């Protein structure tokens, strides 16, 4: 973990058990850090004290995760889609996503919007205030979408995956604004 003021010095190495980490995320307020490994272990940490606040053993590798300011968190995996968990690590609900193999997750800074990318090249945009799917679109017809991220103002979404292209989407109408080809595939 790194101190809030970046010094370039490693403060401590977070490790509960061997395994590659597939996803890391801070809550928007910076009070929680979430890690997910290849074995399905999800941990929520206090970045100041390094105490483990919650732990979940998922059946499969978690492909994406985000943590909310109130301590609840969302995870995605290829088999079960997207799940909402309590701050204590109890599953609260399953998102009724229609994606084939849910991949990356992204949460807007105001926590209203949740984006989910899938192996079928689709993106779902969920309105968390209303608890409903706001928009679903084909972001990539050729490849698997692995990552998604919101702009700081929450008005754009960035997607990328195996096709080696980053795309910027305007959320107000779902229109693609720009595409950038890169050297290699993107993995979340």
């Amino acid at each position: 973990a790194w101190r809030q003021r970046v010094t370039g010095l490693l403060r401590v190495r977070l490790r509960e058990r061997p395994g590659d980490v597939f996803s890391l995320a801070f809550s928007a307020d910076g009070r929680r850090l979430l890690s997910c490994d290849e074995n399905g272990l999800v941990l929520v940490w206090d970045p100041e004290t390094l105490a483990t606040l919650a732990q979940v053993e998922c059946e499969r590798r978690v492909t994406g995760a985000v943590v909310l300011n109130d301590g609840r968190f969302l995870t995605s995996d290829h088999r079960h889609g997207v799940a909402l968990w309590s701050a204590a690590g109890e599953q609260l609900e399953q998102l009724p996503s229609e994606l084939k193999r849910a991949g990356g997750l992204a949460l807007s800074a105001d926590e209203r919007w949740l984006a989910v990318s899938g192996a079928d090249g689709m993106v779902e945009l969920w309105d968390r205030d209303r608890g409903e799917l706001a928009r679903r679109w084909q972001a990539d017809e050729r490849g698997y979408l692995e990552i998604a991220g919101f702009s700081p103002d929450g008005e754009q979404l960035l997607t990328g995956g195996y096709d080696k292209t980053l795309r910027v989407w305007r959320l107000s109408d779902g229109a693609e604004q720009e595409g950038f080809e890169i050297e290699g595939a993107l993995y979340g």
Side-chain angles (χ1 to χ4, degrees), residues 85-178:
W85 303 84
S86 73
E90 295 178 26
Q91 187 171 345
L92 300 174
E93 65 180 279
Q94 192 75 28
L95 198 68
S97 172
E98 295 179 14
L99 291 175
K100 176 185 175 192
R101 296 179 60 192
L105 292 180
L107 187 66
S108 62
D110 64 3
E111 298 187 345
R112 178 178 179 188
W113 302 104
L114 175 70
V116 186
S117 61
D120 52 3
M122 299 295 290
V123 173
E124 290 181 342
L125 181 65
W126 290 84
D127 183 333
R128 294 191 57 252
D129 288 349
R130 293 190 173 131
E132 64 188 23
L133 181 65
R135 178 174 288 116
R136 185 173 203 264
W137 73 93
Q138 186 76 42
D140 185 351
E141 294 179 16
R142 300 170 290 163
Y144 179 86
L145 288 176
E146 184 75 19
I147 63 165
F150 283 93
S151 61
D153 63 8
E155 294 182 13
Q156 297 172 309
L157 181 71
L158 179 72
T159 62
Y162 295 173
D163 74 339
K164 303 177 184 177
T165 304
L166 289 172
R167 290 183 173 81
V168 179
W169 304 91
R170 185 174 50 235
L171 295 183
S172 62
D173 60 6
E176 183 177 348
Q177 293 185 289
E178 279 187 88

Side-chain angles (χ1 to χ4, degrees), residues 39-62:
N39 301 310
L41 178 65
V42 178
L43 295 168
V44 180
W45 308 82
D46 178 323
E48 281 301 311
T49 66
L50 304 176
T52 302
L53 304 174
Q55 177 174 325
V56 172
E57 297 270 351
C58 295
E59 292 177 21
R60 296 188 60 153
R61 173 176 72 107
V62 173

